[in-house]
């Protein structure tokens, strides 16, 4: 019996070894990158992006996909040879807006989630960088570079792309556009860089983050500003050396949660999660003793809880903390990196992507925060089952100061 068992065992081991081959450069180029998972307001669908390398065009292309939160075959919603990204649900869930470079400059397009031809919304002369729906779904705020000067237009036509480093910046502007009429209005303009527009719940104000220039080092000098749309009057939310960013409005519009760093909050290098009156004033640290760097917060529907993700050693996890302040509670035990959780309107379901050493990003969903059991909805790299991948190992030790 031993004579029979040993050859069979060796044959089995050999078959496994043959089934998994070393990864090649072609395998790397064939990888699909999954990201930006956006759950629908009713929690039934997840929109996300899938990007891959187009060797023939020497470019990377991305498209918008859909998958049912209950599971099922993913649906490719857009098929443009140019990049489609940033899918965002309208508040009523009837439309998906996304940024597409299918024409000369990136613009916002609208498409029904059940399919059909997309419709172009914006006609930005410089291209759209980011956007957000208004709470009533009638308007969209978006960020675009300032219009080129005649001299800059001349250089563009002549294909003169030479630049002087750290000079002559093309700063960004904040615009709003009415979805029905497609009437666009420039709301905020100045010699600074702005981004991350966030509507107040009543739709009368927009918060945004300002940095002096697009230079990477100036990111540490960011501030949160608020503009009142009726008058276009702007104000700084909080006078601080920075960085202040990640502003998110409370459901009643009375408060803004944001990330800040300053002597008043006794921080040492990393930012803290804080809450401030939307009218201004002094911020209050929500989780003053939290060990890790929190990300931008999401408010619960009743405004009593803030949810945020943070990197924890070699993973990222989801936390909750009372808005009134306290010790954060870790809700997840993800064995990998969780990116960009988004929530359904009722706060019961959330979608995100997860990757680890042996698995690229794929879309996951959680339907019950109490037990936080992620369910994998997609598998855009099934070919990796045939590839031998390295394994990760976590090594821990205590430094001299503990």
């Amino acid at each position: 019996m031993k004579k029979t068992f040993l050859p069979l065992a060796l044959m089995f081991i050999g078959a496994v070894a043959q089934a998994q081959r070393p990864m090649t450069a072609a395998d790397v180029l064939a990888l699909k990158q999954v990201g930006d998972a956006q759950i629908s307001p009713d929690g039934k669908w997840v929109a996300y992006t899938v990007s891959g390398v187009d060797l023939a065009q020497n470019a990377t292309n991305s498209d918008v996909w859909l998958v049912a939160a209950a599971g099922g075959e993913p649906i490719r919603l857009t098929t443009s040879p140019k990049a489609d990204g940033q899918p965002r649900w309208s508040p009523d869930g009837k439309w998906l807006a996304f940024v597409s470079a299918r024409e000369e400059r990136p613009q916002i397009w609208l498409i029904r989630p059940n399919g059909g031809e997309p419709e172009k919304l914006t006609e930005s002369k410089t291209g759209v960088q980011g956007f957000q729906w208004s709470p009533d779904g009638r308007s969209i705020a978006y960020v675009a570079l300032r219009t080129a000067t005649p001299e800059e237009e001349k250089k563009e036509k002549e294909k003169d792309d030479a630049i002087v480093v750290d000079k002559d910046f093309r700063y960004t502007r904040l615009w709003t556009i009415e979805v029905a009429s497609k009437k666009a209005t420039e709301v905020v303009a100045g010699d600074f860089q702005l981004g991350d527009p966030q509507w107040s719940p009543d739709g009368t104000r927009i918060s945004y983050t300002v940095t002096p220039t697009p230079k990477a080092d100036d990111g540490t000098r960011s501030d949160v500003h608020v503009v009142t749309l009726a008058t276009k009057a702007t104000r700084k939310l909080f006078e601080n050396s920075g960085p202040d960013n990640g502003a998110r409005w409370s459901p009643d519009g009375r408060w803004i949660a944001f990330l800040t760093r300053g002597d008043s909050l006794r921080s040492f290098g990393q930012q803290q999660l804080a809450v401030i009156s939307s009218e201004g004033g002094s911020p209050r640290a929500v989780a003053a003793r939290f060990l890790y760097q929190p990300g931008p917060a999401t408010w619960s529907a009743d405004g009593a809880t803030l949810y945020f993700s943070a990197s924890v050693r070699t993973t990222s996890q989801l936390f909750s903390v009372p808005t009134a302040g306290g010790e954060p509670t870790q809700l997840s035990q993800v064995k990998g990196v969780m990116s960009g959780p988004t929530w359904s309107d009722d706060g019961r379901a959330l979608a995100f992507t997860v990757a680890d050493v042996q698995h690229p990003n794929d879309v996951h969903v959680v339907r019950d925060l109490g037990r936080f059991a992620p369910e994998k909805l997609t598998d855009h790299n099934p070919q990796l089952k045939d590839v031998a991948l390295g394994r990760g190992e976590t090594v821990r030790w205590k430094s001299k100061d503990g």
Side-chain angles (χ1 to χ4, degrees), residues 137-151:
R138 295 179 180 179
S139 300
I140 287 177
Y142 67 92
V143 175
L145 288 174
R146 66 163 173 77
T147 305
T149 64
E151 182 182 352

Side-chain angles (χ1 to χ4, degrees), residues 152-226:
E152 290 167 340
E153 288 182 345
K154 182 174 180 292
K155 289 180 65 177
E156 288 179 7
K157 290 179 181 179
E158 295 174 350
K159 307 293 184 182
D160 181 1
D161 58 359
I163 62 171
V164 179
V165 175
D166 293 346
K167 282 192 175 183
D168 302 325
F169 296 113
R170 291 280 296 276
Y171 293 106
T172 48
R173 305 284 191 256
L174 179 63
W175 292 71
T176 59
I177 186 168
E178 297 174 3
V179 174
S181 67
K182 298 185 179 179
K183 178 185 176 183
T185 304
E186 189 177 69
V187 178
V188 178
D191 290 337
F192 47 77
Q193 194 76 356
L194 64 81
D196 194 23
Q198 299 288 326
W199 292 80
S200 63
D202 62 5
T204 63
R205 294 169 289 174
I206 298 175
S207 66
Y208 54 96
T209 300
V210 168
T211 54
T213 74
K215 293 161 58 176
D217 287 347
D218 277 348
T220 60
R221 301 167 61 195
S222 60
D223 290 296
V224 175
H225 290 237
V226 177

Side-chain angles (χ1 to χ4, degrees), residues 373-389:
E375 298 177 34
K376 185 179 178 181
L377 298 181
T378 65
D379 183 11
H380 281 282
N381 290 284
Q383 75 279 7
L384 290 182
K385 295 174 183 176
D386 301 328
V387 179
L389 300 173

Side-chain angles (χ1 to χ4, degrees), residues 219-269:
T220 60
R221 301 167 61 195
S222 60
D223 290 296
V224 175
H225 290 237
V226 177
V227 59
T228 300
L229 296 177
T231 62
K232 295 187 181 180
T234 63
R235 60 181 173 84
K236 188 183 294 187
L237 181 65
F238 171 52
E239 190 63 51
N240 183 33
S241 58
D244 302 324
N245 49 46
R248 300 295 184 265
W249 296 79
S250 65
D252 61 9
R254 295 177 55 198
W255 304 95
I256 293 178
F258 71 115
L259 301 175
T260 185
R261 185 178 75 200
D263 295 336
S264 62
L265 293 175
R266 298 181 181 178
S267 61
F268 299 91

Side-chain angles (χ1 to χ4, degrees), residues 126-145:
T126 57
V128 173
Q129 295 187 355
F131 71 95
Q132 192 195 44
W133 286 89
S134 65
D136 61 10
R138 295 179 180 179
S139 300
I140 287 177
Y142 67 92
V143 175
L145 288 174

Side-chain angles (χ1 to χ4, degrees), residues 12-339:
F12 175 76
I13 294 171
V16 172
Q18 288 179 0
Q20 289 196 316
R21 54 178 177 76
M23 177 172 267
T24 66
D27 291 322
V28 176
L29 292 173
L31 287 173
K32 301 296 183 183
Q33 306 296 327
V34 178
D36 206 3
Q38 300 287 321
I39 198 164
S40 60
D42 61 8
K44 294 181 179 180
W45 292 90
V46 182
Y48 62 99
T49 59
V50 179
S51 60
V53 175
D54 186 340
L55 292 177
Q57 297 296 322
N58 191 28
T60 299
N61 184 31
S62 61
D63 287 297
V64 178
W65 288 63
L66 278 178
V67 65
E73 191 69 22
I75 303 165
R76 184 176 177 176
L77 193 60
T78 68
T79 57
S80 169
K82 299 292 185 179
D84 300 330
Q86 299 184 52
R88 297 294 183 268
W89 294 91
S90 62
D92 61 8
K94 294 181 178 180
W95 292 94
L96 268 170
F98 62 98
V99 174
S100 177
R102 60 187 62 200
E103 293 187 354
E104 184 179 359
R105 302 185 188 281
Q107 305 289 350
I108 299 174
W109 293 69
L110 302 175
I111 192 171
R112 293 286 188 181
N114 56 356
E117 289 296 321
E119 174 187 348
K120 185 167 67 171
L121 178 64
T122 59
E123 293 284 357
S124 172
K125 293 182 179 180
T126 57
V128 173
Q129 295 187 355
F131 71 95
Q132 192 195 44
W133 286 89
S134 65
D136 61 10
R138 295 179 180 179
S139 300
I140 287 177
Y142 67 92
V143 175
L145 288 174
R146 66 163 173 77
T147 305
T149 64
E151 182 182 352
E152 290 167 340
E153 288 182 345
K154 182 174 180 292
K155 289 180 65 177
E156 288 179 7
K157 290 179 181 179
E158 295 174 350
K159 307 293 184 182
D160 181 1
D161 58 359
I163 62 171
V164 179
V165 175
D166 293 346
K167 282 192 175 183
D168 302 325
F169 296 113
R170 291 280 296 276
Y171 293 106
T172 48
R173 305 284 191 256
L174 179 63
W175 292 71
T176 59
I177 186 168
E178 297 174 3
V179 174
S181 67
K182 298 185 179 179
K183 178 185 176 183
T185 304
E186 189 177 69
V187 178
V188 178
D191 290 337
F192 47 77
Q193 194 76 356
L194 64 81
D196 194 23
Q198 299 288 326
W199 292 80
S200 63
D202 62 5
T204 63
R205 294 169 289 174
I206 298 175
S207 66
Y208 54 96
T209 300
V210 168
T211 54
T213 74
K215 293 161 58 176
D217 287 347
D218 277 348
T220 60
R221 301 167 61 195
S222 60
D223 290 296
V224 175
H225 290 237
V226 177
V227 59
T228 300
L229 296 177
T231 62
K232 295 187 181 180
T234 63
R235 60 181 173 84
K236 188 183 294 187
L237 181 65
F238 171 52
E239 190 63 51
N240 183 33
S241 58
D244 302 324
N245 49 46
R248 300 295 184 265
W249 296 79
S250 65
D252 61 9
R254 295 177 55 198
W255 304 95
I256 293 178
F258 71 115
L259 301 175
T260 185
R261 185 178 75 200
D263 295 336
S264 62
L265 293 175
R266 298 181 181 178
S267 61
F268 299 91
Q270 70 183 28
Q271 291 174 283
Q272 290 183 319
L273 181 61
V275 170
I276 190 173
S277 167
S278 60
E279 302 300 326
S282 298
R284 169 178 54 82
V286 174
R289 293 182 295 176
F290 187 62
L291 182 62
Y292 306 108
Q293 170 67 64
T298 297
W299 291 79
S300 62
D302 61 5
T305 305
L306 291 170
Y307 299 97
F308 62 91
S309 58
S311 295
V312 180
R313 296 187 174 92
T314 59
T315 70
S316 60
Q317 306 295 342
L318 185 70
F319 293 82
S320 68
V321 65
T323 306
E327 193 69 24
T329 300
Q330 183 172 327
L331 303 176
S332 63
Q333 294 291 338
V334 175
K335 295 180 179 179
V337 177
M338 175 176 58
S339 300

